[in-house]
Amino acid sequence: MTDTCEDPQSRLDRLKLRLNEAVRHFEQVAGEKVRRAELPGDSPDSPGGFLSIDPDGRYRFEFRERGEPAALIVSDRIDDIVLGVMSDVASSHAQSAALRDPDYKSVNDARRLWFPRWSRLMHSLSPEWGRHTDLEISEILNAYPYD
């Protein structure tokens, strides 16, 4: 059990406040607005996922597809949850930018445009988050190399 005297709603409110701060920072850095649908909502079936506090007092970010859990982050640390949400947001924005890139049609694998943008966005939000993203990209490319 997480050692805290805060009630679950206060913990959830702090998480949401921290996420809103990260979203504002992202919008400044990226020069793009984050759509409400990209962010965790108020129900488990929200398109951007769902934030909650589990019975042990840990923070949770759950994303569902067709009603089934597709991703789950559980942590005692707010920053782990905010990282997960913001990584999804940055990845989505980077992927959209890659699809609009004039070089898109000439590259064999759009990830060559997408991954560097995702990494730059995450590094601009936090060097630690950028390193985490670079590791994630490396793991993806080790399993599924560029075409």
Side-chain angles (χ1 to χ4, degrees), residues 33-146:
K33 286 289 194 185
V34 175
R35 297 179 312 276
R36 182 178 295 290
E38 293 178 280
L39 297 172
D42 295 327
S43 76
D45 294 321
S46 296
F50 182 69
L51 298 174
S52 64
I53 305 297
D54 75 8
D56 291 331
R58 292 174 300 194
Y59 302 100
R60 296 173 62 94
F61 171 55
E62 185 174 336
F63 181 81
R64 295 182 180 191
E65 290 181 357
R66 297 180 188 94
E68 296 297 318
L72 176 65
I73 300 171
V74 179
S75 179
D76 292 327
R77 294 177 18 139
I78 286 178
D79 205 47
D80 293 341
I81 304 301
V82 175
L83 164 61
V85 173
M86 294 311 299
S87 182
D88 287 350
V89 168
S91 177
S92 176
H93 280 250
Q95 187 175 25
S96 294
L99 294 172
R100 293 187 309 268
D101 191 291
D103 294 332
Y104 174 73
K105 291 182 181 184
S106 65
V107 297
N108 290 337
D109 190 333
R111 297 176 304 164
R112 291 182 186 277
L113 302 171
W114 166 21
F115 286 176
R117 284 183 168 93
W118 179 23
S119 175
R120 281 193 304 273
L121 282 170
M122 293 303 288
H123 274 278
S124 66
L125 293 173
S126 159
E128 178 184 339
W129 291 2
R131 287 187 297 275
H132 180 273
T133 301
D134 291 343
L135 179 60
E136 186 173 350
I137 289 169
S138 291
E139 290 172 358
I140 292 168
L141 291 174
N142 283 336
Y144 307 98
Y146 286 128

